[in-house]
Amino acid sequence: MGQSALLLIDLQEEMNNRIAAGRSVVYPDFSAQVADLTTAFRAKSLPVLHVLHHEESAPDIPFRRDQPGGQPMACAEPHEGEAVFWKPGSSGFIGTGLEQHLRDHNITDLVVAGGVAAFCVASTVRQAANLGFRVTVAEDALIAFPLPDRDGTDIAPEVALQVTLATLAADFARVATTADVIAAL
């Protein structure tokens, strides 16, 4: 029997910087939900894994690990012994060793939180499901920003999130609230 792990995606200070600069989000209290999830997983001695965005080839990318924006948010600060993976692109599985880590530790179920829902979260969740992992997305622990549509106008973040979650729920993941995830641990 495999075990569950919490997978936190791109919870870095640059996300807070973008929110502070006026970018609207669906769940302004997402960081409290992330903190609740990490506390619950750690209390049950379940793994908390961190996937962070990093782009070596572009010196002006604010998510780089050597930049202030690349540092983990307070709600997602890795504890000693927790695995941290730096990814070069959207999916947490590409170029990171995440899949091998999950298999080596008999992790079969993932609870996913983080940002941005329609981008890195969605690509990681899809790939996890395609690799045979069971995935639950904690919808209120996600960062969801407005999305530009093809003519350059913004799709409201609430609409973008609902479309993203509907697509993921159709074939790739179960969608639940943080409270439901914690109650099921």
Side-chain angles (χ1 to χ4, degrees):
M1 179 108 170
Q3 76 170 326
S4 294
L6 176 61
L7 183 62
L8 303 176
I9 301 173
D10 292 353
L11 288 168
Q12 291 162 270
E13 280 302 317
E14 182 57 24
M15 296 296 187
N16 279 333
N17 295 343
R18 292 174 183 196
I19 294 165
R23 199 120 187 232
S24 61
V25 294
V26 176
Y27 295 108
D29 63 344
F30 72 88
S31 61
Q33 305 302 330
V34 170
D36 288 348
L37 284 168
T38 58
T39 298
F41 271 75
R42 289 170 178 151
K44 297 276 187 179
S45 298
L46 294 170
V48 176
L49 311 172
H50 307 263
V51 174
L52 302 172
H53 187 65
H54 170 64
E55 192 68 56
E56 290 271 351
S57 62
D60 60 340
I61 297 294
F63 287 97
R64 287 174 47 131
R65 68 177 96 191
D66 63 347
Q67 298 296 316
Q71 302 311 303
M73 293 177 176
C75 65
E77 185 72 37
H79 283 195
E80 185 175 333
E82 292 178 348
V84 177
F85 304 91
W86 288 89
K87 63 186 177 65
S90 185
S91 174
F93 286 93
I94 303 299
T96 64
L98 175 60
E99 179 185 5
Q100 191 61 53
H101 180 87
L102 297 173
R103 301 221 188 274
D104 289 348
H105 291 86
N106 197 31
I107 296 168
T108 56
D109 296 80
L110 297 171
V111 172
V112 177
V116 170
F119 295 100
C120 298
V121 169
S123 62
T124 301
V125 167
R126 286 172 179 249
Q127 191 159 6
N130 286 331
L131 291 169
F133 297 99
R134 287 184 297 274
V135 183
T136 300
V137 176
E139 80 171 281
D140 53 349
L142 295 176
I143 300 169
F145 293 134
L147 293 175
D149 70 10
R150 294 184 335 189
D151 68 6
T153 58
D154 277 345
I155 298 170
E158 296 82 4
V159 173
L161 180 61
Q162 289 308 310
V163 170
T164 299
L165 292 175
T167 303
L168 292 176
D171 278 333
F172 304 101
R174 181 176 80 90
V175 176
T177 66
T178 294
D180 288 341
V181 168
I182 292 171
L185 288 180

